[in-house]
Amino acid sequence: MNIELITLLRAISGVLLFTLLLALMWLVWRDLKATEQQVSSGRRPLGRLTVVEPVGKTFIPTGQIYPLLTVTTIGRSPGSTIMIDDSFVSSEHAVIAMRGGQWWLEDRGSRNGTQLNDMTIAQPVIVTNGDIVCVGQKRFRIELEH
Amino acid sequence: MVPFARESQRIMLAILVGFIVIAIGAFQWAVIMPDSLNTRDDNPRAVERERRIVRGDIYSADGLLLAHTDVNDAGIVTRQYSVAEAWPGLGYYSMVRGAARIEGAFDTILRGDSAEAALSNRLLHTPIQGTNIRVTLDSAVQRMVSERLDGQAGAAVAISIPDGRMLGISSAPVFDPNSIDADYERLREDAAMQLLDRATERRYPLGTAIQPVLMIASLLTGQPLDAMIDNATEPVDLSDALSIGCAVRLPALSLTLREAFAFACPTPFIGATNAVGETAMNTIFEQVDALTAVRISGYESAAPAAQIRGYTPIEGMEAVVTGQADLTVSPLAMAILTGAIVNDGNTPVPFMLDATLAPGASTWVHAPRPTRTIAFTTATTARRLQDLMRYNVVNGAAQNAARPNIDIGGHVGLAYVDGRPMSWFIGFVTASGRQAGAVAILLEDTSDTGLAADIGGDILAAVHASLLAENP
Amino acid sequence: MSTLSAVPLAAPAVVQTRQPRHSALYLLVLAGVFLVVNALQVTLVTGNPRVWLGIATWIACTGIGWILTRRLLAGTDRLIFATCMVMSGWGLLMIYRLLPNFGDRQAVWLVVGTVAMLTALRFPDLLGRMRRYRYSILLGGTLLLLATILFGTNPSGFASAPALWLGTGSVFFQPSELLKIVLVVFLASYLAEQYPVLRSAALFERKRRLFLAPRIAGPVVLMWGICVVILVWQRDLGTAILFFALFVCLLYVASGSNWVLVAAAGLILAAGAVAYFLFDVVQLRVDIWVNPWIDPDNRAYQIVQSLMTFSAGGVFGQGIGLGYPSYVPVIHSDFMFAAIAEEFGFLGVITVIALLMVLVSRSFRIAALQQGKPYQTLLAVGFCSLIAVQSLMIMGGVVKIIPLTGVTLPFISYGGSSLVVSFFMVGILLRLSAVKG
């Protein structure tokens, strides 16, 4: 048994193992950081507002999606959660908000009104999954997360 | 947010935390407290390590292989002791029971735990090759010592003077170190206390063997040796049932101090020591105490507890003078005392390790010898005492030690331990030049001092032959 | 015309899967050098050159696997492949060192495992078929379990050893390993259909009767039954706990209800308490876990010896071939982690843990990649949890954090069934990883 050679092999093995460990630690750390970013960037969207177009009796998503927040304001003003540059839309047109465990849709005194499933609303109403909200020329489908 | 994302992320985090907890658990056993497991007796790794240590061989001074280590194909070692006469000197080595006597005193050398060897063993499990040692035991003297103590209980020590080489040592009864692992429990429970090295580890009362010490004090203070003392053969009462008398049965006589010494009669020495005086007597006792602290060089661990004695006032002198008080010595210390007498008053320091042969080396390297000597008494006193002891062998109770054409001096003594008699013999032999030998014998459970003297004579003759063979 | 100036939420929370292009390759090369160096030491210390056969097999499997996975399916997760190969190579090396006569056999299993992985990767419509035939698969698995109970043997030949194997002559396999795939596939496809019901608020608010509906109670009773059968008739505590844990993980992910975890914890404690008094095997395991030091030479011999390997290994280990891990009974299967602890030290221990962590974190990213497609997500979570929980159980047992449960360390322990099944699971994970958003 060659003692010097084995000592050398043990030292090399130790260095390799240590390098391997560092590489793996770095990989785990990178993955965890990415996960953390993912969590903070997608901080609890409660649902989505999917822009749809009516085609016959059904609605087709256009591909535009907005996050639904606890208080989502829709209007022409730049401070709105969803800003729509459309002359039919008032600067503060409508708001969708969570109150008492329910989602409420409220018209904020707009000129042209807000429609829920093609019915103009006069006072705040409760909305649920799949409802179509129409603001100006834009229709949104409410998709809630559980 | 995608369905399931929150739940699967929680499960992932739980699993990762689990992995970290396991890493902490492993960290605890591997890094924080590994010794709590590594040093457990039931850890097989300690045994594996020990089983692969190839202990060095032990040779006698004249080259006889006394102990060696066999290695089998699996790398497992067994210790072999082939020379039965050397058993009491060698002691034993056992993986489980440790090591004792020569094996114990020179354990570190025999194991060869040099820093490099230990590191290499720890890192790579290379077998450690121990260092061979050569001890000072002379095979002829050792054989004589062992043979003559066979069937007795007791001890014998033979030292070469002036250098202090241990020529022979024995403690009887003798056990077989080859089967120490199997026999250990039995030996430890045994009433005969075979594991105890009687030569170095047990202290006995001196009894009338204290008389050489008393005689030194008497000579130093000029007490008359040839004045007749009445009722010299009268025994001294030790207790209600026990009394200590002369070494041989004598009628009621008046004896001189010289004759009382020759027959080891205690009574005349009581008067003599009273004449010497309290201070001088305490001085010589302190010197004996100091002597009992001398070990065979390297045997420190096996030393009996140091004796702490107080000052003896003149009223308590009688008990000390009869050797039955708290002044106790080992047979080794008696041999050293005898060595001081034959070495013109200078105490030799005994040693056992002669030379070492490191693994891979081709020549023996002499071990450092102790150079220190302690002056015990004056040269004149020592020489006068030598003559008195020669007289003992010619005319006194130590007659059995006489051997033709050899210059032998000796003295016998009786002592009692718990009512049981013990017989002492101390003696010296001179060879060419300043070369001499000193011997101490102790036999338990016998008042036959003649037997002790006879054994002493045989051993002294063997020592004489050995010394002459070295320096014709 | 109106333009939308609000920032639209990009594709719903898609996980970035970007991985540095070469990190997996570097990892494999590094591990390859590491294995070669240690194989050299094994040859020097034990004088057995057979280990090179294993190293050659490993290099061939890794190389061919690396090329073929890319050829068969673009965009698979290279790191998962790399970590699995590193672990199996390390395990193979340890088997050659601990049981030189069993090394060749394990090398053959490594080849079979690689083939199984590639099959799972490219078998046409494998996931769809598994989903469609889930009841047949479940039936097959149940029959297999039944067959093991009736005809099971133990290759070691001890009468008292649990009879967990099927087979004749020199080829044996452990049906409980195959049962792992069966259960994940069945539960994933079943829960993928039922999850809207599980998640509906009605379940928790109004209709408590729903709990008793067959679609909810069915799988619970089924899993409970399988676990009990395995525990009672097979005396296989580890597999029973593993299956139960798998079920809890999948049910939790599917339902999203924390009550599942609470109920599972309660059930485990209750079942543990009952099992403690009913089954001597459970009682023994718990007793020696609570205090192994009172009986280190008999009942707790294994765990005490196992802990000693950690202490003997220290930080840097004794070096391969230079320790005494063989004092631990069945070191090559359940206690491979202990052998690594002794010969590679704490450094080796955390490297194994880090490999598993990479595998787990990558696998859960694959689950997230499925964009909420229930069947695929649950498959990924199921296979990954299975491997991770199994590793946690045996490693935790070996370091005395939890009672010992006899399961193998995936990829590293000796055992053909375990290796092939683990590779098959990884094949499916790789297949799922190639799905683009």
Side-chain angles (χ1 to χ4, degrees):
Chain A
M1 192 154 71
N2 193 329
I3 291 174
E4 286 80 16
L5 185 56
I6 288 178
T7 315
L8 182 71
L9 285 177
R10 284 197 63 190
I12 296 174
S13 161
V15 169
L16 286 170
L17 197 56
F18 194 66
T19 319
L20 195 64
L21 179 65
L22 284 183
L24 289 167
M25 292 284 201
W26 178 71
L27 288 172
V28 172
W29 179 77
R30 202 193 55 184
D31 272 10
L32 283 181
K33 210 177 73 169
T35 315
E36 192 191 358
Q37 274 174 357
Q38 175 203 343
V39 170
S40 55
S41 67
R43 184 152 290 286
R44 314 231 51 193
L46 301 155
R48 284 178 283 180
L49 291 172
T50 307
V51 181
V52 292
E53 285 292 335
V55 177
K57 285 202 162 187
T58 60
F59 295 93
I60 304 294
T62 62
Q64 283 173 327
I65 296 166
Y66 298 91
L68 185 61
L69 305 181
T70 30
V71 177
T72 309
T73 57
I74 305 170
R76 214 169 53 184
S77 81
S80 307
T81 315
I82 300 173
M83 182 187 156
I84 304 172
D85 194 9
D86 178 351
S87 54
F88 288 97
V89 175
S90 302
S91 64
E92 195 189 26
H93 194 107
V95 74
I96 302 174
M98 169 73 109
R99 280 182 213 126
Q102 304 279 8
W103 287 101
W104 294 81
L105 171 67
E106 185 183 355
D107 184 72
R108 302 292 287 173
S110 64
R111 265 186 293 128
N112 297 316
T114 304
Q115 286 84 37
L116 175 65
N117 299 334
D118 294 336
M119 305 256 285
T120 303
I121 58 168
Q123 53 194 25
V125 292
I126 292 173
V127 291
T128 57
N129 211 4
D131 284 344
I132 303 292
V133 175
C134 180
V135 175
Q137 297 173 341
K138 219 155 188 84
R139 285 180 172 81
F140 301 92
R141 184 165 64 206
I142 295 177
E143 293 171 0
L144 298 179
E145 285 289 339
H146 289 280
Chain B
M1 185 113 171
V2 181
F4 315 124
R6 184 177 58 117
E7 291 82 12
S8 37
Q9 209 157 67
R10 281 188 187 167
I11 289 184
M12 180 181 85
L13 286 179
I15 289 171
L16 294 186
V17 167
F19 282 137
I20 289 168
V21 168
I22 286 168
I24 293 170
F27 186 77
Q28 185 203 353
W29 296 115
V31 184
I32 297 179
M33 44 187 291
D35 286 345
S36 72
L37 290 176
N38 283 339
T39 54
R40 277 177 73 94
D41 332 330
D42 55 357
N43 193 327
R45 284 159 193 82
V47 180
E48 286 283 355
R49 223 187 118 175
E50 192 77 20
R51 276 163 77 180
R52 280 172 165 73
I53 293 177
V54 184
R55 277 175 87 83
D57 299 337
I58 303 176
Y59 291 89
S60 72
D62 45 327
L64 189 65
L65 180 60
L66 303 178
H68 66 281
T69 296
D70 273 353
V71 186
N72 71 4
D73 294 339
I76 309 303
V77 300
T78 42
R79 193 72 167 153
Q80 305 283 339
Y81 304 90
S82 41
V83 181
E85 294 93 60
W87 286 350
L90 292 172
Y92 59 83
Y93 163 77
S94 154
M95 201 158 65
V96 188
R97 307 298 179 182
R101 304 189 195 174
I102 288 178
E103 288 272 36
F106 308 112
D107 193 41
T108 325
I109 301 173
L110 288 166
R111 289 168 62 94
D113 282 344
S114 68
E116 300 86 6
L119 188 71
S120 156
N121 175 276
R122 208 164 59 80
L123 290 177
L124 301 167
H125 303 274
T126 51
I128 290 181
Q129 179 69 51
T131 299
N132 292 351
I133 64 172
R134 190 168 71 205
V135 293
T136 55
L137 293 178
D138 180 274
S139 57
V141 175
Q142 181 64 32
R143 191 178 316 120
M144 183 61 75
V145 167
S146 282
E147 276 173 9
R148 291 305 322 254
L149 276 187
D150 191 28
Q152 303 286 340
V157 175
I159 307 178
S160 158
I161 304 296
D163 49 11
R165 281 180 294 137
M166 297 289 300
L167 295 176
I169 186 166
S170 185
S171 167
V174 175
F175 60 88
D176 180 355
N178 290 302
S179 55
I180 185 70
D181 281 325
D183 298 344
Y184 189 84
E185 290 300 330
R186 181 178 59 76
L187 292 173
R188 205 181 49 173
E189 302 297 325
D190 187 15
M193 294 191 292
Q194 301 179 44
L195 288 178
L196 185 74
D197 185 3
R198 289 170 159 79
T200 61
E201 292 169 14
R202 189 168 188 188
R203 307 181 79 117
Y204 295 89
L206 284 155
T208 48
I210 199 174
Q211 285 168 359
V213 178
L214 307 179
M215 193 53 97
I216 288 171
S218 302
L219 291 172
L220 282 171
T221 51
Q223 304 302 317
L225 290 179
D226 295 313
M228 291 302 283
I229 302 163
D230 291 340
N231 300 326
T233 57
E234 197 91 329
V236 180
D237 286 338
L238 299 176
S239 64
D240 293 342
L242 206 60
S243 61
I244 188 164
C246 305
V248 287
R249 200 173 294 273
L250 291 175
L253 284 174
S254 295
L255 296 174
T256 60
L257 197 59
R258 184 196 303 273
E259 288 161 343
F261 182 65
F263 292 103
C265 294
T267 311
F269 283 93
I270 296 171
T273 47
N274 282 336
V276 169
E278 190 179 301
T279 318
M281 284 313 296
N282 272 291
T283 309
I284 194 98
F285 290 156
E286 278 167 24
Q287 280 181 278
V288 176
D289 276 340
L291 208 67
T292 63
V294 179
R295 317 281 175 234
I296 302 173
S297 188
Y299 272 52
E300 277 74 10
S301 59
Q307 195 175 23
I308 298 167
R309 270 175 8 91
Y311 186 82
T312 310
I314 198 78
E315 307 85 55
M317 203 59 79
E318 185 178 316
V320 182
V321 168
T322 52
Q324 293 301 123
D326 53 1
L327 184 65
T328 54
V329 296
S330 65
L332 173 71
M334 281 306 268
I336 295 171
L337 176 68
T338 315
I341 295 168
V342 75
N343 195 28
D344 291 350
N346 289 317
T347 315
V349 176
F351 65 96
M352 184 67 92
L353 183 63
D354 182 33
T356 58
L357 182 68
S362 56
T363 52
W364 288 89
V365 178
H366 274 281
R369 295 179 173 201
T371 49
R372 173 184 60 119
T373 54
I374 311 157
F376 190 80
T377 186
T378 63
T380 322
T381 314
R383 283 184 185 155
R384 289 179 66 191
L385 188 54
Q386 284 172 24
D387 287 340
L388 288 170
M389 287 171 74
R390 287 189 182 97
Y391 178 78
N392 290 356
V393 172
V394 177
N395 283 323
Q399 274 179 353
N400 283 359
R403 294 293 179 272
N405 303 322
I406 305 178
D407 173 32
I408 291 178
H411 181 260
V412 293
L414 264 178
Y416 288 91
V417 176
D418 302 330
R420 289 156 48 211
M422 312 263 157
S423 295
W424 281 101
F425 171 80
I426 62 171
F428 62 81
V429 62
T430 58
S432 55
R434 289 192 62 229
Q435 277 288 324
V439 161
I441 315 281
L442 178 104
L443 300 179
E444 293 179 9
D445 294 320
T446 176
S447 54
D448 188 356
T449 52
L451 177 62
D454 187 41
I455 293 173
D458 278 354
I459 297 174
L460 285 169
V463 169
H464 183 256
S466 162
L467 293 176
L468 280 188
E470 288 167 20
N471 278 318
Chain C
M1 288 297 287
S2 64
T3 52
L4 290 169
S5 56
V7 180
L9 191 67
V14 168
V15 183
Q16 294 180 345
T17 52
R18 203 160 39 83
Q19 40 179 305
R21 199 169 297 157
H22 300 302
S23 59
L25 189 60
Y26 292 154
L27 204 65
L28 276 179
V29 172
L30 196 61
V33 178
F34 170 72
L35 291 181
V36 166
V37 166
N38 281 288
L40 195 58
Q41 188 171 329
V42 169
T43 323
L44 281 174
V45 174
T46 66
N48 187 350
R50 295 267 286 283
V51 63
W52 294 104
L53 206 62
I55 293 294
T57 313
W58 181 81
I59 291 175
C61 284
T62 309
I64 293 171
W66 177 265
I67 295 165
L68 279 187
T69 40
R70 174 166 288 174
R71 285 270 174 79
L72 293 174
L73 199 57
T76 56
D77 195 312
R78 310 303 271 166
L79 271 174
I80 287 193
F81 174 79
T83 48
C84 295
M85 287 321 285
V86 173
M87 284 194 282
S88 58
W90 201 346
L92 188 61
L93 181 71
M94 288 307 286
I95 289 160
Y96 269 104
R97 175 260 179 275
L98 293 168
L99 299 168
N101 297 330
F102 287 62
D104 295 345
R105 186 180 278 242
Q106 185 75 358
V108 171
W109 283 118
L110 178 63
V111 175
V112 177
T114 313
V115 171
M117 180 182 70
L118 295 172
T119 311
L121 192 68
R122 205 49 195 164
F123 194 80
D125 193 26
L126 178 67
L127 302 186
R129 281 168 204 251
M130 290 198 306
R131 189 174 195 177
R132 254 173 278 134
Y133 301 121
R134 61 172 179 271
Y135 288 109
S136 316
I137 291 175
L138 183 67
L139 187 67
T142 318
L143 288 178
L144 209 56
L145 184 61
L146 209 63
T148 320
I149 293 168
L150 293 177
F151 312 114
T153 54
N154 191 307
S156 68
F158 293 114
S160 61
L164 306 176
W165 282 263
L166 275 183
T168 52
S170 60
V171 181
F172 287 91
F173 83 104
Q174 219 174 341
S176 66
E177 295 288 341
L178 208 55
L179 211 54
K180 288 175 186 166
I181 300 177
V182 170
L183 281 179
V184 172
V185 167
F186 174 76
L187 286 173
S189 60
Y190 184 85
L191 291 173
E193 271 173 20
Q194 304 299 334
Y195 91 98
V197 180
L198 293 171
R199 286 187 169 231
S200 73
L203 193 61
F204 293 98
E205 282 171 6
R206 281 167 289 175
K207 300 180 181 171
R208 292 195 180 275
R209 278 182 298 118
L210 261 175
F211 277 117
L212 300 174
R215 57 168 57 169
I216 306 297
V220 178
V221 171
L222 175 84
M223 284 308 300
W224 182 82
I226 288 179
C227 291
V228 167
V229 164
I230 288 173
L231 184 60
V232 175
W233 273 282
Q234 302 260 62
R235 290 192 292 132
D236 192 352
L237 177 66
T239 310
I241 294 176
L242 182 62
F243 285 175
F244 185 76
L246 168 76
F247 176 62
V248 169
C249 283
L250 287 181
L251 193 63
Y252 170 66
V253 172
S255 70
S257 164
N258 294 336
W259 286 107
V260 170
L261 298 180
V262 175
L267 263 181
I268 286 200
L269 286 181
V274 170
Y276 181 81
F277 292 108
L278 281 187
F279 305 115
D280 50 351
V281 58
V282 178
Q283 192 166 8
L284 174 73
R285 295 276 170 84
V286 173
D287 283 352
I288 60 176
W289 170 63
V290 172
N291 192 351
W293 311 115
I294 49 173
D295 195 8
D297 298 325
N298 283 315
R299 299 187 307 156
Y301 181 75
Q302 203 170 29
I303 180 68
V304 168
Q305 293 299 320
S306 159
L307 293 178
M308 283 174 180
T309 62
F310 282 83
S311 297
V315 177
F316 297 104
Q318 300 277 1
I320 193 164
L322 295 171
Y324 301 103
S326 298
Y327 277 104
V328 187
V330 296
I331 185 77
H332 57 282
S333 94
D334 296 4
F335 285 83
M336 199 58 121
F337 192 52
I340 287 179
E342 172 149 11
E343 307 219 312
F344 294 92
F346 182 64
L347 198 59
V349 164
I350 46 175
T351 307
V352 171
I353 291 176
L355 281 165
L356 285 163
M357 281 173 117
V358 169
L359 181 65
V360 166
S361 64
R362 297 304 297 186
S363 300
F364 275 100
R365 285 161 68 84
I366 291 172
L369 255 181
Q370 307 307 314
Q371 298 192 26
K373 280 184 261 169
Y375 175 55
Q376 283 82 343
T377 309
L378 288 174
L379 267 188
V381 170
F383 285 135
C384 173
S385 313
L386 203 60
I387 293 175
V389 171
Q390 192 176 334
S391 312
L392 282 175
M393 278 168 64
I394 187 59
M395 294 194 300
V398 168
V399 297
K400 203 178 88 71
I401 285 173
I402 53 172
L404 266 173
T405 46
V407 292
T408 56
L409 187 57
F411 298 106
I412 295 180
S413 286
Y414 174 75
S417 328
S418 167
L419 192 68
V420 172
V421 164
S422 302
F423 265 115
F424 183 81
M425 295 181 190
V426 164
I428 292 178
L429 282 174
L430 289 179
R431 186 181 185 121
L432 291 169
S433 73
V435 172
K436 287 288 173 202

